Amino acid sequence: MRRRVCLLAGGETTVTLRGRGRGGRNQELAVAAAAALAGFPNAAVCASLASDGIDGNSQAAGGVADSHSAARAHALGLAPPAVFLAHSDSHGFLAGLGDLLITGPTGTNVMDLTVLLAD
């Protein structure tokens, strides 16, 4: 019998800046997930966002990626996720796919939230 999985994580990740791109820790987590999920054998999606609605140096709260994100990026002529991560430009990757999570400022700052759903 197949089991579906839902993983929830709260807190804040640490990011090492490598370039002059845009984005934040939640967007970076989503782009890293896009790379990892590309080889995943089942359908999966990962979303990560900041509860205050602001992630890093962008207007997005975070981003979402699934097991098809890397292939969609390739089909659109975007570089692989690793290239965007190397330049700390997670925003560029997610914006190119339309996968930014934009909430606007929420007026609260509890923690970052990450959700992974897998079939």
Side-chain angles (χ1 to χ4, degrees), residues 27-75:
Q27 292 169 71
E28 181 157 317
L29 192 152
V31 175
L37 293 175
F40 202 68
N42 299 323
V45 61
C46 178
S48 189
L49 66 146
S51 63
D52 65 358
I54 301 166
D55 184 39
N57 63 355
S58 75
Q59 82 284 5
V64 62
D66 63 27
S67 47
H68 303 289
S69 294
R72 287 178 36 233
H74 179 74

Side-chain angles (χ1 to χ4, degrees), residues 28-115:
E28 181 157 317
L29 192 152
V31 175
L37 293 175
F40 202 68
N42 299 323
V45 61
C46 178
S48 189
L49 66 146
S51 63
D52 65 358
I54 301 166
D55 184 39
N57 63 355
S58 75
Q59 82 284 5
V64 62
D66 63 27
S67 47
H68 303 289
S69 294
R72 287 178 36 233
H74 179 74
L76 292 170
L78 294 173
V83 172
F84 287 89
L85 292 172
H87 294 98
S88 296
D89 190 22
S90 52
H91 186 275
F93 182 82
L94 295 168
L97 294 175
D99 289 343
L100 289 169
L101 296 174
I102 300 175
T103 63
T106 64
T108 186
N109 189 8
V110 179
M111 69 179 144
D112 293 347
L113 176 65
T114 302
V115 178

